[in-house]
């Protein structure tokens, strides 16, 4: 239908209202390309700017971890409650339903098993394959202070360069070996190095005291690593305290899939992260199932 002249003179052009292009409002995101921001907006809920990631990538170095023996039976039913799934390309193609809609954070580093020196990793996934899988981000382990520290940092920077070309964010995972202390001084060092060298968000451990200084000193979002299996109440307290002290979400694995009731646990974690539910109330929710 042709335009009529009188329509061109109406208020619908809103000439007096300036355009408001808006970046996705998470820390460090404003200068990223549209595709990067769009992928991050799938991982971090726009309404809360937080995420509950479900980590099931343990098998890439330690085989069939307890709780992950059958991902199709144990994990696929949890996907509706996860904002993102951190996993490997083998598990994506073999087991994860393409129609699930859960964003994938793709493990892209690997090499040694638990039988060898873990810091001796290489890039194990090409960025083109991450594109084929439609990953929303790629994840790489960074061993600050480890035997192969420089190699792992180089892995990350190569992925950052490739991700910039294809619009795929990079999650740097700060690895802590037996010889390194999980205190605020070390975590400030590790997370800041990752962010300074281009990581778009960083996964790190919670520490007490001074986790707030770790989050404040990192110019990109921090996602708290779940770490070893804790009693459910303690895991919910840790998640709550991390969020209260500046984390932009959690990436939990064993504290969810090794729980007696994994679905109830991931729902309780989601209540803490996205609804600011207190740990005791979230634990009551977990107990009720």
């Amino acid at each position: 239908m042709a335009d009529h002249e009188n329509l061109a003179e109406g208020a619908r052009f809103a000439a007096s209202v300036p355009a408001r292009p808006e970046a996705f409002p998470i820390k460090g995101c404003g200068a990223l390309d549209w595709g990067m921001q769009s992928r991050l907006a799938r991982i971090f809920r726009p309404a809360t700017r937080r995420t509950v990631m479900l980590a099931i990538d343990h098998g890439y170095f330690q085989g069939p971890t307890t709780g992950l023996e059958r991902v199709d039976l144990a994990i696929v039913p949890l996907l509706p409650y996860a904002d993102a799934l951190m996993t490997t390309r083998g598990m994506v193609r073999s087991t994860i339903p393409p129609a699930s809609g859960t964003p994938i954070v793709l493990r892209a580093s690997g090499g040694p098993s638990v039988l060898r020196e873990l810091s001796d990793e290489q890039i194990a996934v090409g960025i083109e394959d991450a594109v084929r899988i439609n990953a929303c981000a790629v994840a790489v382990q960074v061993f600050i202070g480890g035997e192969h520290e420089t190699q792992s940092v180089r892995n990350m920077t190569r992925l950052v360069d490739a991700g910039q070309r294809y619009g795929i964010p990079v999650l740097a995972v700060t690895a802590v070996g037996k010889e390194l202390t999980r205190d605020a001084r070390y975590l400030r060092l590790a997370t800041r190095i990752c962010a300074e060298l281009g990581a778009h968000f960083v996964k790190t451990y919670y520490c007490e005291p001074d986790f707030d200084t770790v989050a404040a000193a990192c110019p990109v979002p921090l996602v708290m690593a779940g770490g070893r299996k804790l009693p459910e109440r303690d895991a919910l307290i840790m998640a709550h305290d991390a969020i209260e002290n500046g984390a932009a979400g959690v990436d939990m694995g064993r504290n969810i899939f090794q729980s007696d009731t994994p679905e109830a646990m991931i729902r309780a974690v989601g209540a803490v992260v996205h609804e600011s539910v207190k740990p005791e109330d979230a634990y009551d929710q977990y107990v009720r199932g």
Side-chain angles (χ1 to χ4, degrees), residues 10-118:
R12 60 196 176 94
F13 287 95
S16 63
V17 180
R20 294 190 296 269
E22 295 181 359
F24 181 57
I26 60 171
K27 185 164 64 170
C29 187
L32 301 180
D33 290 342
W34 190 94
M36 285 266 194
Q37 295 192 41
S38 178
R39 287 183 171 90
L40 287 170
R42 294 189 62 202
I43 296 169
F44 295 88
R45 286 192 198 178
T48 62
R49 305 176 195 176
R50 295 174 182 168
T51 187
V52 174
M53 293 170 52
L54 176 59
I56 64 162
D57 58 329
H58 306 67
Y60 92 95
F61 69 99
Q62 63 183 34
T65 306
T66 301
L68 297 180
E69 296 89 348
R70 288 288 301 273
V71 168
D72 56 332
L73 300 179
I75 299 301
V76 170
L78 304 181
L79 295 182
Y81 307 103
D83 296 309
L85 181 70
M86 187 166 169
T87 188
T88 61
R89 62 178 170 181
M91 197 56 71
V92 168
R93 289 194 166 104
S94 66
T95 309
I96 304 304
S100 74
T102 304
I104 297 297
V105 177
L106 190 67
R107 167 61 65 179
S109 62
S113 73
V114 289
L115 305 178
R116 305 300 294 269
E117 168 54 47
L118 289 178

Side-chain angles (χ1 to χ4, degrees), residues 206-230:
Y206 182 69
C207 66
E208 289 183 329
D210 298 330
F211 183 80
D212 59 330
T213 68
V214 180
C218 185
V220 298
L222 285 187
V223 176
M224 186 206 76
R228 62 184 177 86
K229 176 68 174 69
L230 300 173

